Amino acid sequence: MKEEHSTDNLLGKASSFLETRVLPSWNETVNALRSGEKSLDKLADFELVDLFFDSLIEKASYDPRLLGEPIKNREKTTSEYRPNPRRRLFDNDWKSEDLITLPLRFYEPLMIRAMESRSIPVEYIVTSICKYAKKWVLDAEDSVSGKKREVVEAVERLLPHKRGLISCEFLFKTLKHSISLEASSECRNGFGIRVSKQLDMAKPTDLKILTQGYGEKDIQLVRTVVTSFYSNYTNEEEDVSLFVKVAKLLEEFLLLAASEDASLKLEAFVALGEITAAISLGVLRYSDGIYRAVDVFLERHGYLTESEKMEACKVLDCKKLSRQGCEEAAKNQRLPLRVVVQVFFASQLQIRDTVAKEIKGGEEKVDEEEEIGVWSDEDETEKMSEKLLGMEIESHECVVHRWKKAKKVSVWRQVKRKFGCLTTSSSDDACTCDVKKSKKKKIHHHYK
């Protein structure tokens, strides 16, 4: 009833209650909105939903910390939001009701309106969205998969694409959940793109999220993410530092996988090693990280036969071992004898190249990173030489790498060519992959 029919009626009391008790308070507004889920149509008829949304956005614009403290992504940010004391109008609500308790049918349009208002820093909005996904998807063990899928798809629509704004750990987890929940292809690809854009900021433990179980699909997911990362960058000179970070990341991840999971199968290790070797090609001067991973894998799998050990070692390029790596590998009894022979001759080639460079350069100082000295342990070298000369390996036929002098190719072209050879034989001679020049096409990576 309206006032013209009688004074002090129910409509007037309700309006007064909203204006004096509900709308001024953050907690009361959230509670009122949450309790109105079953009567959404009636709330919409009276335009109460818009009224509640506007009230919450106005309060959050004065104090964004009502949405939660921003989640820092690895590197500490120098700028931190500090609200003006004069604008702290809602101190009584400091222990505030969290928006993540709202049902999705209220939360999603509220976040959309908050972003459109541009009055709230995007970092705080992202914090709220991540907390919502954590509550209703990542930590919700008893929830129905259909409800989880609906939430994860909504979260993907809400999250911005800005690089570094969202933590890598959260992105890897949501990508994995979107695949397991069989979310839409737009949702899976959206998370995949965000992950690949900031892969250089990830940690080995983040990559491990994608490969729990190390199945064929898990390894293919890693390959897809890495390939998508390279498709995001085209300026080789400016992006080489990012390539180096990703190459080191994969070496550390390979070592982590070999050391923490004794059940890691040989096929899975080789597949991950081939991806790592492809990324380090033309990017890292030395690949000692791959050698350490191979060594740890052989140590954790002492039951492997000689042929299986050789299979594990095929991801190791002896030419890319540093001086220290060569010294360690030459004395490593876990390595197959053929690999030790390859290390020995690779070391001799390094010594020859260094001596030739010193003779050619005269007094010119050689860069410390490129300088490879003669083994200090002369007795050990002499003993190794005598041992090798006295041995007969497969009718005097010793398997040694044949070093080929190839044309100098850009880092980007080398990586692309290497990825094209992943499914073929690991031998240089066996690769018949022909890289043809063609117009650049936009590649869409599908996350299945």
Side-chain angles (χ1 to χ4, degrees), residues 15-35:
S15 300
S16 176
F17 178 79
L18 286 175
E19 293 176 358
T20 58
R21 295 288 302 276
V22 178
L23 295 179
S25 169
W26 172 272
N27 286 350
E28 294 298 335
T29 304
V30 173
N31 288 331
L33 191 58
R34 185 170 56 236
S35 62

PDB file of all heavy atoms in Angstrom, residues 15-35:
ATOM      1  N   SER A  15      10.959   0.645   2.827  1.00  0.00           N
ATOM      2  CA  SER A  15      11.891   1.590   2.202  1.00  0.00           C
ATOM      3  C   SER A  15      12.780   2.245   3.238  1.00  0.00           C
ATOM      4  O   SER A  15      14.000   2.402   3.037  1.00  0.00           O
ATOM      5  CB  SER A  15      11.118   2.643   1.415  1.00  0.00           C
ATOM      6  OG  SER A  15      10.346   2.058   0.393  1.00  0.00           O
ATOM      7  N   SER A  16      12.169   2.622   4.360  1.00  0.00           N
ATOM      8  CA  SER A  16      12.946   3.250   5.429  1.00  0.00           C
ATOM      9  C   SER A  16      13.970   2.289   6.005  1.00  0.00           C
ATOM     10  O   SER A  16      15.114   2.659   6.294  1.00  0.00           O
ATOM     11  CB  SER A  16      12.002   3.731   6.532  1.00  0.00           C
ATOM     12  OG  SER A  16      12.731   4.254   7.613  1.00  0.00           O
ATOM     13  N   PHE A  17      13.581   1.015   6.137  1.00  0.00           N
ATOM     14  CA  PHE A  17      14.500   0.017   6.683  1.00  0.00           C
ATOM     15  C   PHE A  17      15.696  -0.186   5.752  1.00  0.00           C
ATOM     16  O   PHE A  17      16.842  -0.276   6.209  1.00  0.00           O
ATOM     17  CB  PHE A  17      13.747  -1.306   6.880  1.00  0.00           C
ATOM     18  CG  PHE A  17      14.609  -2.420   7.396  1.00  0.00           C
ATOM     19  CD1 PHE A  17      14.946  -2.495   8.739  1.00  0.00           C
ATOM     20  CD2 PHE A  17      15.092  -3.392   6.530  1.00  0.00           C
ATOM     21  CE1 PHE A  17      15.755  -3.512   9.199  1.00  0.00           C
ATOM     22  CE2 PHE A  17      15.903  -4.414   6.985  1.00  0.00           C
ATOM     23  CZ  PHE A  17      16.233  -4.481   8.331  1.00  0.00           C
ATOM     24  N   LEU A  18      15.438  -0.249   4.451  1.00  0.00           N
ATOM     25  CA  LEU A  18      16.529  -0.413   3.498  1.00  0.00           C
ATOM     26  C   LEU A  18      17.483   0.760   3.536  1.00  0.00           C
ATOM     27  O   LEU A  18      18.716   0.601   3.492  1.00  0.00           O
ATOM     28  CB  LEU A  18      15.971  -0.591   2.090  1.00  0.00           C
ATOM     29  CG  LEU A  18      15.321  -1.947   1.765  1.00  0.00           C
ATOM     30  CD1 LEU A  18      14.707  -1.901   0.368  1.00  0.00           C
ATOM     31  CD2 LEU A  18      16.336  -3.083   1.837  1.00  0.00           C
ATOM     32  N   GLU A  19      16.935   1.956   3.587  1.00  0.00           N
ATOM     33  CA  GLU A  19      17.766   3.162   3.520  1.00  0.00           C
ATOM     34  C   GLU A  19      18.561   3.404   4.787  1.00  0.00           C
ATOM     35  O   GLU A  19      19.662   3.959   4.735  1.00  0.00           O
ATOM     36  CB  GLU A  19      16.870   4.371   3.234  1.00  0.00           C
ATOM     37  CG  GLU A  19      16.247   4.342   1.851  1.00  0.00           C
ATOM     38  CD  GLU A  19      15.284   5.488   1.628  1.00  0.00           C
ATOM     39  OE1 GLU A  19      15.083   6.275   2.586  1.00  0.00           O
ATOM     40  OE2 GLU A  19      14.727   5.600   0.527  1.00  0.00           O
ATOM     41  N   THR A  20      18.020   2.968   5.930  1.00  0.00           N
ATOM     42  CA  THR A  20      18.686   3.273   7.210  1.00  0.00           C
ATOM     43  C   THR A  20      19.487   2.110   7.780  1.00  0.00           C
ATOM     44  O   THR A  20      20.483   2.324   8.480  1.00  0.00           O
ATOM     45  CB  THR A  20      17.653   3.708   8.257  1.00  0.00           C
ATOM     46  OG1 THR A  20      16.680   2.655   8.429  1.00  0.00           O
ATOM     47  CG2 THR A  20      16.946   4.985   7.821  1.00  0.00           C
ATOM     48  N   ARG A  21      19.068   0.870   7.481  1.00  0.00           N
ATOM     49  CA  ARG A  21      19.709  -0.276   8.098  1.00  0.00           C
ATOM     50  C   ARG A  21      20.494  -1.148   7.129  1.00  0.00           C
ATOM     51  O   ARG A  21      21.535  -1.710   7.495  1.00  0.00           O
ATOM     52  CB  ARG A  21      18.641  -1.151   8.790  1.00  0.00           C
ATOM     53  CG  ARG A  21      17.944  -0.482   9.962  1.00  0.00           C
ATOM     54  CD  ARG A  21      18.895  -0.389  11.157  1.00  0.00           C
ATOM     55  NE  ARG A  21      19.368  -1.702  11.541  1.00  0.00           N
ATOM     56  CZ  ARG A  21      18.694  -2.532  12.340  1.00  0.00           C
ATOM     57  NH1 ARG A  21      17.506  -2.171  12.812  1.00  0.00           N
ATOM     58  NH2 ARG A  21      19.201  -3.705  12.671  1.00  0.00           N
ATOM     59  N   VAL A  22      20.028  -1.297   5.920  1.00  0.00           N
ATOM     60  CA  VAL A  22      20.637  -2.254   4.989  1.00  0.00           C
ATOM     61  C   VAL A  22      21.688  -1.607   4.098  1.00  0.00           C
ATOM     62  O   VAL A  22      22.864  -1.976   4.117  1.00  0.00           O
ATOM     63  CB  VAL A  22      19.565  -2.946   4.124  1.00  0.00           C
ATOM     64  CG1 VAL A  22      20.212  -3.896   3.121  1.00  0.00           C
ATOM     65  CG2 VAL A  22      18.584  -3.695   5.003  1.00  0.00           C
ATOM     66  N   LEU A  23      21.279  -0.625   3.319  1.00  0.00           N
ATOM     67  CA  LEU A  23      22.175  -0.059   2.312  1.00  0.00           C
ATOM     68  C   LEU A  23      23.412   0.624   2.888  1.00  0.00           C
ATOM     69  O   LEU A  23      24.487   0.559   2.266  1.00  0.00           O
ATOM     70  CB  LEU A  23      21.397   0.920   1.426  1.00  0.00           C
ATOM     71  CG  LEU A  23      20.299   0.281   0.580  1.00  0.00           C
ATOM     72  CD1 LEU A  23      19.573   1.335  -0.245  1.00  0.00           C
ATOM     73  CD2 LEU A  23      20.869  -0.797  -0.337  1.00  0.00           C
ATOM     74  N   PRO A  24      23.358   1.276   4.049  1.00  0.00           N
ATOM     75  CA  PRO A  24      24.585   1.883   4.588  1.00  0.00           C
ATOM     76  C   PRO A  24      25.624   0.866   5.050  1.00  0.00           C
ATOM     77  O   PRO A  24      26.785   1.221   5.248  1.00  0.00           O
ATOM     78  CB  PRO A  24      24.083   2.715   5.774  1.00  0.00           C
ATOM     79  CG  PRO A  24      22.638   2.934   5.511  1.00  0.00           C
ATOM     80  CD  PRO A  24      22.172   1.680   4.844  1.00  0.00           C
ATOM     81  N   SER A  25      25.227  -0.377   5.258  1.00  0.00           N
ATOM     82  CA  SER A  25      26.135  -1.387   5.805  1.00  0.00           C
ATOM     83  C   SER A  25      26.533  -2.402   4.735  1.00  0.00           C
ATOM     84  O   SER A  25      25.673  -2.955   4.038  1.00  0.00           O
ATOM     85  CB  SER A  25      25.455  -2.116   6.975  1.00  0.00           C
ATOM     86  OG  SER A  25      26.197  -3.252   7.363  1.00  0.00           O
ATOM     87  N   TRP A  26      27.828  -2.644   4.633  1.00  0.00           N
ATOM     88  CA  TRP A  26      28.327  -3.655   3.679  1.00  0.00           C
ATOM     89  C   TRP A  26      27.801  -5.046   4.033  1.00  0.00           C
ATOM     90  O   TRP A  26      27.295  -5.769   3.186  1.00  0.00           O
ATOM     91  CB  TRP A  26      29.852  -3.650   3.694  1.00  0.00           C
ATOM     92  CG  TRP A  26      30.495  -4.756   2.903  1.00  0.00           C
ATOM     93  CD1 TRP A  26      30.798  -6.007   3.335  1.00  0.00           C
ATOM     94  CD2 TRP A  26      30.920  -4.703   1.532  1.00  0.00           C
ATOM     95  NE1 TRP A  26      31.380  -6.742   2.338  1.00  0.00           N
ATOM     96  CE2 TRP A  26      31.473  -5.963   1.209  1.00  0.00           C
ATOM     97  CE3 TRP A  26      30.898  -3.717   0.557  1.00  0.00           C
ATOM     98  CZ2 TRP A  26      31.995  -6.267  -0.035  1.00  0.00           C
ATOM     99  CZ3 TRP A  26      31.425  -4.014  -0.700  1.00  0.00           C
ATOM    100  CH2 TRP A  26      31.954  -5.264  -0.994  1.00  0.00           C
ATOM    101  N   ASN A  27      27.922  -5.403   5.315  1.00  0.00           N
ATOM    102  CA  ASN A  27      27.491  -6.735   5.736  1.00  0.00           C
ATOM    103  C   ASN A  27      26.006  -6.957   5.506  1.00  0.00           C
ATOM    104  O   ASN A  27      25.600  -8.016   5.003  1.00  0.00           O
ATOM    105  CB  ASN A  27      27.805  -6.939   7.217  1.00  0.00           C
ATOM    106  CG  ASN A  27      29.284  -7.154   7.460  1.00  0.00           C
ATOM    107  OD1 ASN A  27      30.052  -7.340   6.521  1.00  0.00           O
ATOM    108  ND2 ASN A  27      29.689  -7.123   8.725  1.00  0.00           N
ATOM    109  N   GLU A  28      25.194  -5.991   5.876  1.00  0.00           N
ATOM    110  CA  GLU A  28      23.748  -6.141   5.732  1.00  0.00           C
ATOM    111  C   GLU A  28      23.343  -6.214   4.259  1.00  0.00           C
ATOM    112  O   GLU A  28      22.424  -6.946   3.893  1.00  0.00           O
ATOM    113  CB  GLU A  28      23.031  -4.981   6.423  1.00  0.00           C
ATOM    114  CG  GLU A  28      23.189  -4.944   7.932  1.00  0.00           C
ATOM    115  CD  GLU A  28      22.601  -6.169   8.597  1.00  0.00           C
ATOM    116  OE1 GLU A  28      21.695  -6.794   8.018  1.00  0.00           O
ATOM    117  OE2 GLU A  28      23.066  -6.510   9.701  1.00  0.00           O
ATOM    118  N   THR A  29      24.036  -5.463   3.429  1.00  0.00           N
ATOM    119  CA  THR A  29      23.717  -5.489   1.996  1.00  0.00           C
ATOM    120  C   THR A  29      24.039  -6.846   1.394  1.00  0.00           C
ATOM    121  O   THR A  29      23.260  -7.405   0.612  1.00  0.00           O
ATOM    122  CB  THR A  29      24.503  -4.390   1.258  1.00  0.00           C
ATOM    123  OG1 THR A  29      24.230  -3.121   1.860  1.00  0.00           O
ATOM    124  CG2 THR A  29      24.105  -4.334  -0.211  1.00  0.00           C
ATOM    125  N   VAL A  30      25.218  -7.411   1.754  1.00  0.00           N
ATOM    126  CA  VAL A  30      25.588  -8.731   1.253  1.00  0.00           C
ATOM    127  C   VAL A  30      24.597  -9.782   1.745  1.00  0.00           C
ATOM    128  O   VAL A  30      24.154 -10.653   0.969  1.00  0.00           O
ATOM    129  CB  VAL A  30      27.025  -9.089   1.683  1.00  0.00           C
ATOM    130  CG1 VAL A  30      27.367 -10.530   1.305  1.00  0.00           C
ATOM    131  CG2 VAL A  30      28.022  -8.134   1.050  1.00  0.00           C
ATOM    132  N   ASN A  31      24.234  -9.723   3.036  1.00  0.00           N
ATOM    133  CA  ASN A  31      23.289 -10.697   3.588  1.00  0.00           C
ATOM    134  C   ASN A  31      21.922 -10.592   2.921  1.00  0.00           C
ATOM    135  O   ASN A  31      21.279 -11.618   2.633  1.00  0.00           O
ATOM    136  CB  ASN A  31      23.147 -10.481   5.093  1.00  0.00           C
ATOM    137  CG  ASN A  31      24.390 -10.926   5.861  1.00  0.00           C
ATOM    138  OD1 ASN A  31      25.101 -11.824   5.417  1.00  0.00           O
ATOM    139  ND2 ASN A  31      24.645 -10.294   6.995  1.00  0.00           N
ATOM    140  N   ALA A  32      21.473  -9.370   2.681  1.00  0.00           N
ATOM    141  CA  ALA A  32      20.171  -9.187   2.043  1.00  0.00           C
ATOM    142  C   ALA A  32      20.174  -9.726   0.614  1.00  0.00           C
ATOM    143  O   ALA A  32      19.209 -10.360   0.175  1.00  0.00           O
ATOM    144  CB  ALA A  32      19.804  -7.704   2.045  1.00  0.00           C
ATOM    145  N   LEU A  33      21.273  -9.495  -0.092  1.00  0.00           N
ATOM    146  CA  LEU A  33      21.365  -9.980  -1.465  1.00  0.00           C
ATOM    147  C   LEU A  33      21.440 -11.506  -1.495  1.00  0.00           C
ATOM    148  O   LEU A  33      20.813 -12.157  -2.342  1.00  0.00           O
ATOM    149  CB  LEU A  33      22.609  -9.377  -2.129  1.00  0.00           C
ATOM    150  CG  LEU A  33      22.740  -9.558  -3.643  1.00  0.00           C
ATOM    151  CD1 LEU A  33      21.560  -8.977  -4.372  1.00  0.00           C
ATOM    152  CD2 LEU A  33      24.034  -8.911  -4.133  1.00  0.00           C
ATOM    153  N   ARG A  34      22.187 -12.082  -0.567  1.00  0.00           N
ATOM    154  CA  ARG A  34      22.317 -13.534  -0.521  1.00  0.00           C
ATOM    155  C   ARG A  34      20.983 -14.210  -0.169  1.00  0.00           C
ATOM    156  O   ARG A  34      20.655 -15.270  -0.713  1.00  0.00           O
ATOM    157  CB  ARG A  34      23.382 -13.923   0.501  1.00  0.00           C
ATOM    158  CG  ARG A  34      23.674 -15.412   0.528  1.00  0.00           C
ATOM    159  CD  ARG A  34      24.896 -15.724   1.379  1.00  0.00           C
ATOM    160  NE  ARG A  34      24.753 -15.205   2.726  1.00  0.00           N
ATOM    161  CZ  ARG A  34      25.609 -14.374   3.295  1.00  0.00           C
ATOM    162  NH1 ARG A  34      26.668 -13.941   2.637  1.00  0.00           N
ATOM    163  NH2 ARG A  34      25.425 -13.951   4.530  1.00  0.00           N
ATOM    164  N   SER A  35      20.223 -13.620   0.726  1.00  0.00           N
ATOM    165  CA  SER A  35      18.945 -14.207   1.132  1.00  0.00           C
ATOM    166  C   SER A  35      17.868 -14.062   0.068  1.00  0.00           C
ATOM    167  O   SER A  35      16.825 -14.710   0.161  1.00  0.00           O
ATOM    168  CB  SER A  35      18.463 -13.552   2.432  1.00  0.00           C
ATOM    169  OG  SER A  35      18.241 -12.161   2.234  1.00  0.00           O
TER     170      SER A  35
END
